[in-house]
Each structure stands twice: as C-alpha cells, then as structure tokens.
Amino acid sequence: MNKQYLLDVVIPCYCEEETIPHTVPELINFLNTCIKSSEFGMQSFRLILVDDGSKDRTWSIIKDFTEKLPVKGIKLSRNYGHQSAMLAGLTIADADVVLTIDADLQDDISTIGEMLKAYQEGVDLALGVRSSRGNDSVIKKSTAIGYYKLMRAMGVNIIEDHADFRLMSRRSLDVLLAHQEVNLFLRGVIPSIGFPTKIIHYERQDREFGETKYTLRKMLGLAINGITSFSVVPLRFVAFTGAAFSFAAFVGVFWVIIVRVFFYGDVVPGWASIALPILFLGGVQLFSLGIVGEYIGKIYLEVKKRPRFVIEATTND
Ligand code: UDP
Ligand code: MG
C-alpha cells in the first residue's frame, strides 16, 4: 500500500533570473509525471522559492510564477547566504515530505524519483551524493576533498560529496528545526538526526545558465562554520600545543642547568637564542588566540539568540 503525501520543494535563489525561468517549468513537469505515476504515491506538490536578497529580477519572476503555478515565494530582507535561505524555506514548508534542491538544477532531477521511492520504503532522509563533480575547477575539487578529510579527522559526522540535495520526512524536518542554534550547519546536523537514511548517487551536471553564486569567501565561511559548529578539536589542539611547549621549556631549563653545572659548557650569549623563541612562541600564542577567538565569537552569537533570518514578504498561497 503506497503512502499518500504532499511534497514541498525548497529552492534557494540568489540572483537567479537567468536560471529559474528554466528550472521551475522543468521541475513542475517532472513532478507532474511523478503524480501521474501511482508508484510514487505523491498527491500534490508546491515549490517554495526563497529569494535570498537578490539584486536582479529574481523576486518579480517568482511573483509572476505564483499567479499560475503551484509556487510560493519568500523574500528575505537581504542576502543571508545559501544555508539560511534554505532554512527559511524549510521553516515555511508544511508538507509531509520536503525536498531541497539548488536553483540551477545541477543536481539531476530524475534522482528525485529515487528519493520519493526511498520515502515510500520508509526512509526519512534520502541524501543525494555526487558521484562526479562535472566540470568543477581543479581548485574546487581538491579543496572539497581536503575539506571532507579534515572534517572527518576532527570527528565531524559529514557525508562526503553530499551537499544540500536531499529529501526529508516531516519528522526529520521537525527534529532539524528544533535546533535553536544560529550557526546551524545543516550538512553536519542532518546526518546526525539518526532516522532511517538512504544515500542516493547521481551525476552532477554543469551549470547551464548564469554563474556560480558561491564565491570563495562564501565557501570559506561555510567551511569554517562547519568545523567550529561541530568540533572542539581545534581547542584541544591549542591546549595540547600549550602543554607541549611548557613541557619543552622545563626540559630546556634542566638541560641548561645540567650543561652549566656538570660540563662547565660555555653558553654563547647570543641574541638568536632569546629572540627566536620569543618570536616563535609569540606566533604560536597569536594563532592559538585566533582559534579560541573563533569559538568565543560563536558563543557570543549564540547567546544573543538573534533571528536566523527575517522574511520581508511572502506571496499568497
Ligand atoms: N545561493 C543563495 N544565496 C547565496 C548564494 C547562493 O541562496 O548567497 C543559492 C543559489 O541561488 C543556488 C544555490 O544557492 O540555488 C547554490 O549556489 P550555486 O549553484 O551558485 O553554487 P555551486 O553549485 O556553484 O556550489
Ligand atoms: Mg550550482
């Protein structure tokens, strides 16, 4: 017996005026064929397009869609970034099943069929994992590989090459939304929810229209947020380094005493032996302070409990 359900599809859009006129009809056609085929059990669907403070015509295009298509529009008051835009859409979504996908359809939409089937089989989380990275630049590929390795070394439960193309059941979404932290790192929190999960591989396409909206700065921000939201390993590293240097200093003191007392060795009165350790230790201390500061910054933001986003306008259903 097929489960009957409603589907919400959350699509963050930042300056996507070139993309969404193609994406929305294509997705709607695909989802309509899913409704017709009884094997998916989907009764109806709605696209939730979140305008993440675009500077182009994205919002007016979204508003036009809402007049004749099953589309709901949400406009954030400024550019909050991909993750916050997605979270805004997830908060609004009230269907039984919620899917998140990027506006450029680099993620193969035929995979959605497999995700819906997985849901039918009782899976709460169907996570899309790229089996190839299309024409992503060598820098993007190698930084991604290094990043996933680093995350795992720091004990963060993150699924390699899974971005934000995923299906969530109502109850897993409710768990996600119960997280109150401002710096919510979705890619880390979602795999840790623990409900039945299925990984679905797909080939990632190249972006057909427009350009990537993920600048190096935004990627770096996401990477740092991922590590500091989930891992205290950098803090332990600071503590460990501090302890190691203190120990080395003790050994050094004993060494000097032994040389002086037992071997009558001449200690050359050189500036290098004084200046270089000061410089080196100063550097280590500054670096350590920087890492500690990163966490303190986080605590600072968390205790303020700021809203994670502000919705400026929504369209009627
Ligand atoms: N995006 C967003 N806010 C931003 C940057 C990106 O909502 O500040 C959206 C963008 O419109 C797209 C998705 O996030 O739907 C992924 O961005 P993009 O395709 O540019 O990233 P890439 O695939 O190059 O990593
Ligand atoms: Mg993309």
Side-chain angles (χ1 to χ4, degrees), residues 38-62:
S38 55
E39 66 177 318
F40 296 109
M42 193 211 311
Q43 283 178 313
S44 80
F45 65 86
R46 171 175 72 155
L47 306 189
I48 300 179
L49 298 180
V50 185
D51 176 8
D52 183 20
S54 301
K55 295 175 192 73
D56 62 2
R57 292 175 41 251
T58 301
W59 179 239
S60 73
I61 298 173
I62 292 176

Side-chain angles (χ1 to χ4, degrees), residues 2-21:
N2 272 354
K3 273 194 264 189
Q4 303 279 303
Y5 56 88
L6 307 178
L7 175 75
D8 273 339
V9 182
V10 173
I11 311 172
C13 309
Y14 176 58
C15 301
E16 297 284 9
E17 64 180 5
E18 291 170 84
T19 323
I20 47 176

Side-chain angles (χ1 to χ4, degrees), residues 60-104:
S60 73
I61 298 173
I62 292 176
K63 278 198 292 193
D64 288 346
F65 281 143
T66 60
E67 278 161 25
K68 39 195 181 308
L69 296 169
V71 169
K72 184 178 179 69
I74 297 173
K75 180 176 168 29
L76 301 187
S77 58
R78 62 167 170 85
N79 180 232
Y80 283 85
H82 177 222
Q83 301 284 296
S84 297
M86 201 157 51
L87 208 52
L90 289 173
T91 312
I92 297 292
D94 55 6
D96 312 306
V97 184
V98 180
L99 188 91
T100 49
I101 188 167
D102 288 350
D104 53 14

